Each structure stands twice: as C-alpha cells, then as structure tokens.
Amino acid sequence: MHQIYSRNGASNKTEFWDSLLTPNGGFLMVDLQDHKNHSIGVSMFHQLHCLSMIRAVIVTGEMRRHPVESRNMKEMQDHEHFMHCFDYIVQAILCSADDALERSINILDAGGEEEDGINGMGQTHQCRNATLLYDYVLQSEQVPVKVDSLGKYSVFP
C-alpha cells in the first residue's frame, strides 16, 4: 500500500508532494535495443505531476516545474501548461471511473459544528498497486527495462 492510501487529512508539505514522483519525474527508462535508453512517460506520474503543479499555483501562486521537466519535455507557456494539466486530470478521472460508494459521515464545517457530509476519506476503493508501479519505475532508473517486457499500452503486460 502506498503511503497516500493511509493518509488522513491534507498535507501542506511540499516534500510529501515531491515524494510522489521518482527522482527523474516518473519516467520509465526503457532499453529499445538501439544502444540508447529512452524516457517514456507513465500516466500515474504525469497525473501526479499535473496535480502537484496545480496545487503549487493555488498554494503559492507560482508554477513549480519538476527539475527534469525542461530536459525531457518541450517547454510550454505556463498558462498552456496549467490548462493542459486541468484537461489531463479530467481525462484521468473519467478514464478510471472510480465507482466506490462514499457514505456520508459527520464532518466539521468552517464554524466547527458537526454536519452530515462526504469527504471521501476512509472509504473503500478498489485500487491498483501504486507502490509496485513506483518501485518498478524507480528501478528502471538504474536498470532500464527491455521493451519486449512492456505491455502494448501499459507498463505491465
């Protein structure tokens, strides 16, 4: 289980958000058998990058880029990048179509009073193994995976 699945409450710590990406930004290193290693994006990490960037703009008013971004991606204007990330996150949510039921619970309103509401925390979801994916991508930074070990459209066959 990835640490985020067991979290209670929000984190204002930038270190937490940075820890969701591997040191190279979540790019899978692949040996295409052409004597070069290639960086291939992985959707989960692209989604986390976008969400982290949107969060940074909301919290600090400034766009943060991952250090490898300028090396691996063509630079976009900040506004275009920001809007791309919104669109990309919407696509990811619709694609996963999480159908978990979120029961109402007592939550505190802004005035500290209890009210019936839904915050989505502590509910049961059918999740994929984010830790397995993180570890696999992280390991590829040291030993690139062979292209024939990948699925046609995904990291795992």
Side-chain angles (χ1 to χ4, degrees), residues 67-107:
V68 300
E69 188 173 353
S70 60
R71 189 174 75 215
N72 292 315
M73 296 169 55
K74 180 181 162 193
E75 289 288 337
M76 283 192 245
Q77 295 294 326
D78 287 349
H79 179 72
E80 290 176 69
H81 190 182
F82 190 78
M83 295 314 295
H84 150 77
C85 280
F86 264 111
D87 292 342
Y88 191 71
I89 295 296
V90 167
Q91 290 173 20
I93 291 168
L94 292 172
C95 180
S96 68
D98 185 350
D99 67 344
L101 299 172
E102 296 184 346
R103 310 254 185 251
S104 65
I105 58 172
N106 287 333
I107 60 174

CSV table of all heavy atoms in Angstrom, one decimal, residues 67-107:
chain,number,residue,atom,x,y,z
A,67,PRO,N,12.4,19.3,-11.7
A,67,PRO,CA,13.8,19.6,-12.3
A,67,PRO,C,14.0,18.9,-13.7
A,67,PRO,O,14.7,19.5,-14.5
A,67,PRO,CB,14.7,19.1,-11.3
A,67,PRO,CG,14.0,19.1,-10.0
A,67,PRO,CD,12.5,18.9,-10.3
A,68,VAL,N,13.5,17.7,-13.9
A,68,VAL,CA,13.8,17.0,-15.2
A,68,VAL,C,12.8,17.5,-16.3
A,68,VAL,O,13.0,17.1,-17.4
A,68,VAL,CB,13.7,15.5,-15.1
A,68,VAL,CG1,14.7,15.0,-14.0
A,68,VAL,CG2,12.3,15.0,-14.7
A,69,GLU,N,11.8,18.3,-16.0
A,69,GLU,CA,10.8,18.6,-17.0
A,69,GLU,C,11.4,19.3,-18.2
A,69,GLU,O,11.1,19.0,-19.3
A,69,GLU,CB,9.7,19.5,-16.3
A,69,GLU,CG,8.5,19.7,-17.2
A,69,GLU,CD,7.4,20.4,-16.5
A,69,GLU,OE1,7.5,20.5,-15.3
A,69,GLU,OE2,6.5,20.8,-17.2
A,70,SER,N,12.2,20.3,-17.9
A,70,SER,CA,12.8,21.1,-19.1
A,70,SER,C,13.7,20.2,-19.9
A,70,SER,O,13.9,20.4,-21.1
A,70,SER,CB,13.5,22.3,-18.6
A,70,SER,OG,14.5,22.0,-17.7
A,71,ARG,N,14.3,19.2,-19.3
A,71,ARG,CA,15.2,18.3,-20.0
A,71,ARG,C,14.4,17.3,-20.9
A,71,ARG,O,14.8,16.9,-21.9
A,71,ARG,CB,16.0,17.5,-19.0
A,71,ARG,CG,17.1,16.7,-19.6
A,71,ARG,CD,18.0,16.1,-18.5
A,71,ARG,NE,17.3,15.0,-17.9
A,71,ARG,CZ,17.5,14.7,-16.6
A,71,ARG,NH1,18.2,15.4,-15.8
A,71,ARG,NH2,16.8,13.7,-16.1
A,72,ASN,N,13.2,16.9,-20.4
A,72,ASN,CA,12.5,15.8,-21.1
A,72,ASN,C,11.3,16.3,-21.9
A,72,ASN,O,10.7,15.5,-22.6
A,72,ASN,CB,12.1,14.7,-20.1
A,72,ASN,CG,13.2,14.0,-19.5
A,72,ASN,OD1,14.1,13.6,-20.2
A,72,ASN,ND2,13.2,13.8,-18.2
A,73,MET,N,10.9,17.5,-21.7
A,73,MET,CA,9.6,17.9,-22.4
A,73,MET,C,9.9,19.3,-23.0
A,73,MET,O,10.6,20.1,-22.5
A,73,MET,CB,8.5,18.0,-21.3
A,73,MET,CG,8.1,16.7,-20.7
A,73,MET,SD,7.0,16.9,-19.3
A,73,MET,CE,5.7,17.9,-20.0
A,74,LYS,N,9.2,19.5,-24.1
A,74,LYS,CA,9.3,20.8,-24.8
A,74,LYS,C,8.6,21.8,-23.8
A,74,LYS,O,7.5,21.6,-23.3
A,74,LYS,CB,8.5,20.7,-26.1
A,74,LYS,CG,8.5,22.0,-26.9
A,74,LYS,CD,7.7,21.8,-28.2
A,74,LYS,CE,7.3,23.1,-28.7
A,74,LYS,NZ,6.3,23.0,-29.7
A,75,GLU,N,9.2,23.0,-23.7
A,75,GLU,CA,8.6,24.0,-22.8
A,75,GLU,C,7.3,24.5,-23.4
A,75,GLU,O,7.2,24.7,-24.6
A,75,GLU,CB,9.6,25.2,-22.6
A,75,GLU,CG,10.8,24.8,-21.8
A,75,GLU,CD,10.5,24.7,-20.3
A,75,GLU,OE1,9.5,25.2,-19.9
A,75,GLU,OE2,11.3,24.0,-19.7
A,76,MET,N,6.3,24.7,-22.5
A,76,MET,CA,5.1,25.3,-22.9
A,76,MET,C,4.9,26.6,-22.1
A,76,MET,O,5.6,26.7,-21.1
A,76,MET,CB,3.9,24.4,-22.5
A,76,MET,CG,3.6,23.2,-23.3
A,76,MET,SD,2.0,22.5,-22.9
A,76,MET,CE,2.5,21.0,-22.2
A,77,GLN,N,4.1,27.4,-22.6
A,77,GLN,CA,3.8,28.6,-21.8
A,77,GLN,C,3.1,28.2,-20.5
A,77,GLN,O,2.4,27.2,-20.5
A,77,GLN,CB,2.9,29.6,-22.6
A,77,GLN,CG,3.5,30.1,-23.8
A,77,GLN,CD,4.7,31.1,-23.5
A,77,GLN,OE1,4.6,31.8,-22.5
A,77,GLN,NE2,5.7,31.1,-24.3
A,78,ASP,N,3.3,28.9,-19.4
A,78,ASP,CA,2.8,28.5,-18.2
A,78,ASP,C,1.3,28.3,-18.2
A,78,ASP,O,0.7,27.3,-17.7
A,78,ASP,CB,3.2,29.5,-17.1
A,78,ASP,CG,4.6,29.3,-16.7
A,78,ASP,OD1,5.3,28.3,-17.1
A,78,ASP,OD2,5.1,30.2,-15.9
A,79,HIS,N,0.6,29.3,-18.8
A,79,HIS,CA,-0.9,29.2,-18.9
A,79,HIS,C,-1.3,27.9,-19.7
A,79,HIS,O,-2.2,27.2,-19.3
A,79,HIS,CB,-1.5,30.4,-19.5
A,79,HIS,CG,-3.0,30.4,-19.6
A,79,HIS,ND1,-3.8,30.5,-18.5
A,79,HIS,CD2,-3.8,30.2,-20.7
A,79,HIS,CE1,-5.1,30.4,-18.9
A,79,HIS,NE2,-5.1,30.2,-20.2
A,80,GLU,N,-0.7,27.7,-20.8
A,80,GLU,CA,-1.0,26.5,-21.6
A,80,GLU,C,-0.7,25.2,-20.8
A,80,GLU,O,-1.5,24.3,-20.8
A,80,GLU,CB,-0.2,26.4,-22.9
A,80,GLU,CG,-0.5,27.5,-23.9
A,80,GLU,CD,0.4,27.4,-25.1
A,80,GLU,OE1,0.4,26.4,-25.8
A,80,GLU,OE2,1.3,28.3,-25.2
A,81,HIS,N,0.4,25.2,-20.1
A,81,HIS,CA,0.7,24.0,-19.2
A,81,HIS,C,-0.3,23.8,-18.2
A,81,HIS,O,-0.8,22.7,-17.9
A,81,HIS,CB,2.1,24.2,-18.6
A,81,HIS,CG,2.7,23.0,-18.0
A,81,HIS,ND1,3.9,23.0,-17.4
A,81,HIS,CD2,2.2,21.7,-17.8
A,81,HIS,CE1,4.2,21.8,-16.9
A,81,HIS,NE2,3.1,21.0,-17.1
A,82,PHE,N,-0.7,24.9,-17.5
A,82,PHE,CA,-1.7,24.8,-16.4
A,82,PHE,C,-3.0,24.3,-17.0
A,82,PHE,O,-3.6,23.4,-16.4
A,82,PHE,CB,-1.9,26.2,-15.8
A,82,PHE,CG,-2.7,26.3,-14.6
A,82,PHE,CD1,-2.2,25.9,-13.4
A,82,PHE,CD2,-4.0,26.7,-14.6
A,82,PHE,CE1,-2.9,26.0,-12.2
A,82,PHE,CE2,-4.8,26.8,-13.5
A,82,PHE,CZ,-4.2,26.4,-12.3
A,83,MET,N,-3.5,24.8,-18.1
A,83,MET,CA,-4.7,24.4,-18.7
A,83,MET,C,-4.6,22.9,-19.2
A,83,MET,O,-5.6,22.1,-19.1
A,83,MET,CB,-5.2,25.3,-19.8
A,83,MET,CG,-5.5,26.7,-19.3
A,83,MET,SD,-6.6,26.8,-17.8
A,83,MET,CE,-8.1,26.0,-18.4
A,84,HIS,N,-3.5,22.6,-19.8
A,84,HIS,CA,-3.3,21.2,-20.2
A,84,HIS,C,-3.5,20.2,-19.0
A,84,HIS,O,-4.1,19.2,-19.1
A,84,HIS,CB,-1.9,21.0,-20.8
A,84,HIS,CG,-1.3,19.6,-20.6
A,84,HIS,ND1,-1.7,18.5,-21.3
A,84,HIS,CD2,-0.4,19.1,-19.6
A,84,HIS,CE1,-1.1,17.4,-20.9
A,84,HIS,NE2,-0.3,17.8,-19.9
A,85,CYS,N,-2.9,20.6,-17.8
A,85,CYS,CA,-3.0,19.8,-16.6
A,85,CYS,C,-4.4,19.6,-16.2
A,85,CYS,O,-4.8,18.5,-15.8
A,85,CYS,CB,-2.1,20.3,-15.5
A,85,CYS,SG,-0.3,19.8,-15.8
A,86,PHE,N,-5.2,20.7,-16.2
A,86,PHE,CA,-6.6,20.5,-15.8
A,86,PHE,C,-7.3,19.5,-16.8
A,86,PHE,O,-8.0,18.6,-16.3
A,86,PHE,CB,-7.3,21.9,-15.9
A,86,PHE,CG,-7.4,22.6,-14.6
A,86,PHE,CD1,-6.7,23.8,-14.4
A,86,PHE,CD2,-8.2,22.1,-13.6
A,86,PHE,CE1,-6.8,24.4,-13.2
A,86,PHE,CE2,-8.3,22.8,-12.4
A,86,PHE,CZ,-7.6,23.9,-12.2
A,87,ASP,N,-7.1,19.7,-18.1
A,87,ASP,CA,-7.7,18.8,-19.0
A,87,ASP,C,-7.2,17.3,-18.8
A,87,ASP,O,-8.0,16.4,-18.9
A,87,ASP,CB,-7.4,19.2,-20.5
A,87,ASP,CG,-8.1,20.5,-20.8
A,87,ASP,OD1,-9.1,20.9,-20.1
A,87,ASP,OD2,-7.7,21.2,-21.8
A,88,TYR,N,-6.0,17.2,-18.5
A,88,TYR,CA,-5.4,15.9,-18.4
A,88,TYR,C,-6.0,15.2,-17.1
A,88,TYR,O,-6.3,14.0,-17.2
A,88,TYR,CB,-3.9,16.0,-18.3
A,88,TYR,CG,-3.2,14.6,-18.4
A,88,TYR,CD1,-3.2,13.9,-19.6
A,88,TYR,CD2,-2.6,14.1,-17.3
A,88,TYR,CE1,-2.6,12.7,-19.7
A,88,TYR,CE2,-1.9,12.8,-17.4
A,88,TYR,CZ,-2.0,12.1,-18.5
A,88,TYR,OH,-1.3,10.9,-18.6
A,89,ILE,N,-6.1,15.9,-16.0
A,89,ILE,CA,-6.7,15.3,-14.8
A,89,ILE,C,-8.1,14.9,-15.0
A,89,ILE,O,-8.6,13.9,-14.6
A,89,ILE,CB,-6.5,16.3,-13.6
A,89,ILE,CG1,-5.1,16.6,-13.3
A,89,ILE,CG2,-7.3,15.8,-12.4
A,89,ILE,CD1,-4.3,15.3,-12.8
A,90,VAL,N,-8.9,15.7,-15.7
A,90,VAL,CA,-10.3,15.4,-16.0
A,90,VAL,C,-10.3,14.1,-16.8
A,90,VAL,O,-11.1,13.2,-16.5
A,90,VAL,CB,-11.0,16.5,-16.8
A,90,VAL,CG1,-12.3,16.0,-17.4
A,90,VAL,CG2,-11.2,17.7,-15.9
A,91,GLN,N,-9.5,14.0,-17.8
A,91,GLN,CA,-9.4,12.7,-18.6
A,91,GLN,C,-9.1,11.5,-17.8
A,91,GLN,O,-9.7,10.4,-17.9
A,91,GLN,CB,-8.4,12.8,-19.8
A,91,GLN,CG,-8.8,13.8,-20.8
A,91,GLN,CD,-7.7,14.0,-21.9
A,91,GLN,OE1,-6.8,13.2,-22.0
A,91,GLN,NE2,-7.8,15.1,-22.6
A,92,ALA,N,-8.1,11.7,-16.8
A,92,ALA,CA,-7.7,10.6,-16.0
A,92,ALA,C,-8.8,10.2,-15.0
A,92,ALA,O,-9.1,9.0,-14.8
A,92,ALA,CB,-6.5,11.0,-15.2
A,93,ILE,N,-9.6,11.1,-14.5
A,93,ILE,CA,-10.7,10.8,-13.6
A,93,ILE,C,-11.8,10.0,-14.4
A,93,ILE,O,-12.3,9.0,-13.9
A,93,ILE,CB,-11.3,12.1,-13.0
A,93,ILE,CG1,-10.2,12.6,-12.0
A,93,ILE,CG2,-12.6,11.8,-12.3
A,93,ILE,CD1,-10.6,14.0,-11.5
A,94,LEU,N,-12.1,10.5,-15.6
A,94,LEU,CA,-13.1,9.9,-16.4
A,94,LEU,C,-12.7,8.5,-16.8
A,94,LEU,O,-13.4,7.5,-16.9
A,94,LEU,CB,-13.5,10.7,-17.6
A,94,LEU,CG,-14.2,12.0,-17.3
A,94,LEU,CD1,-14.3,12.9,-18.5
A,94,LEU,CD2,-15.6,11.8,-16.6
A,95,CYS,N,-11.4,8.4,-17.1
A,95,CYS,CA,-10.9,7.1,-17.6
A,95,CYS,C,-10.9,6.0,-16.5
A,95,CYS,O,-11.3,4.9,-16.7
A,95,CYS,CB,-9.4,7.3,-18.0
A,95,CYS,SG,-8.6,5.7,-18.6
A,96,SER,N,-10.6,6.4,-15.2
A,96,SER,CA,-10.6,5.4,-14.2
A,96,SER,C,-12.0,5.1,-13.7
A,96,SER,O,-12.3,4.1,-13.2
A,96,SER,CB,-9.7,5.9,-13.0
A,96,SER,OG,-10.3,7.0,-12.4
A,97,ALA,N,-12.9,6.1,-13.8
A,97,ALA,CA,-14.3,5.9,-13.5
A,97,ALA,C,-14.5,5.1,-12.2
A,97,ALA,O,-15.2,4.1,-12.1
A,97,ALA,CB,-15.1,5.2,-14.6
A,98,ASP,N,-13.9,5.6,-11.1
A,98,ASP,CA,-14.0,5.0,-9.8
A,98,ASP,C,-15.4,5.0,-9.3
A,98,ASP,O,-16.0,6.0,-9.1
A,98,ASP,CB,-13.1,5.8,-8.8
A,98,ASP,CG,-13.0,5.2,-7.4
A,98,ASP,OD1,-13.7,4.2,-7.1
A,98,ASP,OD2,-12.1,5.6,-6.7
A,99,ASP,N,-16.0,3.8,-9.1
A,99,ASP,CA,-17.4,3.7,-8.7
A,99,ASP,C,-17.6,3.4,-7.3
A,99,ASP,O,-18.6,2.9,-6.8
A,99,ASP,CB,-18.1,2.7,-9.6
A,99,ASP,CG,-17.6,1.2,-9.4
A,99,ASP,OD1,-16.5,1.1,-8.8
A,99,ASP,OD2,-18.3,0.3,-9.8
A,100,ALA,N,-16.5,3.6,-6.4
A,100,ALA,CA,-16.7,3.4,-5.0
A,100,ALA,C,-17.8,4.2,-4.4
A,100,ALA,O,-18.0,5.4,-4.8
A,100,ALA,CB,-15.3,3.7,-4.3
A,101,LEU,N,-18.5,3.6,-3.5
A,101,LEU,CA,-19.6,4.3,-2.8
A,101,LEU,C,-19.0,5.1,-1.6
A,101,LEU,O,-18.2,4.6,-0.9
A,101,LEU,CB,-20.6,3.4,-2.3
A,101,LEU,CG,-21.3,2.5,-3.4
A,101,LEU,CD1,-22.2,1.5,-2.7
A,101,LEU,CD2,-22.2,3.4,-4.3
A,102,GLU,N,-19.3,6.4,-1.5
A,102,GLU,CA,-18.8,7.2,-0.5
A,102,GLU,C,-20.0,7.6,0.5
A,102,GLU,O,-20.9,8.4,0.1
A,102,GLU,CB,-18.2,8.5,-1.1
A,102,GLU,CG,-17.0,8.1,-1.9
A,102,GLU,CD,-16.2,9.3,-2.4
A,102,GLU,OE1,-16.7,10.5,-2.4
A,102,GLU,OE2,-15.1,9.2,-2.9
A,103,ARG,N,-20.0,7.0,1.6
A,103,ARG,CA,-21.0,7.1,2.6
A,103,ARG,C,-20.9,8.5,3.3
A,103,ARG,O,-19.8,9.0,3.5
A,103,ARG,CB,-21.0,6.0,3.6
A,103,ARG,CG,-21.0,4.6,3.0
A,103,ARG,CD,-22.3,3.9,3.1
A,103,ARG,NE,-22.2,2.6,2.6
A,103,ARG,CZ,-22.8,2.2,1.5
A,103,ARG,NH1,-23.4,3.0,0.7
A,103,ARG,NH2,-22.7,0.9,1.1
A,104,SER,N,-22.0,9.1,3.7
A,104,SER,CA,-21.9,10.3,4.5
A,104,SER,C,-21.5,10.0,5.9
A,104,SER,O,-21.7,9.0,6.5
A,104,SER,CB,-23.2,11.0,4.5
A,104,SER,OG,-24.2,10.3,5.2
A,105,ILE,N,-20.8,11.0,6.5
A,105,ILE,CA,-20.3,10.9,7.8
A,105,ILE,C,-20.4,12.3,8.5
A,105,ILE,O,-20.8,13.3,7.8
A,105,ILE,CB,-18.8,10.5,7.9
A,105,ILE,CG1,-17.9,11.5,7.1
A,105,ILE,CG2,-18.6,9.1,7.3
A,105,ILE,CD1,-16.4,11.3,7.2
A,106,ASN,N,-20.2,12.4,9.8
A,106,ASN,CA,-20.2,13.7,10.4
A,106,ASN,C,-18.9,14.4,10.2
A,106,ASN,O,-17.8,13.8,10.5
A,106,ASN,CB,-20.4,13.5,11.9
A,106,ASN,CG,-21.9,13.2,12.3
A,106,ASN,OD1,-22.8,13.5,11.5
A,106,ASN,ND2,-22.1,12.5,13.4
A,107,ILE,N,-18.9,15.6,9.6
A,107,ILE,CA,-17.7,16.3,9.4
A,107,ILE,C,-17.9,17.7,10.1
A,107,ILE,O,-19.0,18.1,10.4
A,107,ILE,CB,-17.4,16.5,7.9
A,107,ILE,CG1,-18.5,17.2,7.1
A,107,ILE,CG2,-17.0,15.1,7.3
A,107,ILE,CD1,-18.2,17.5,5.7
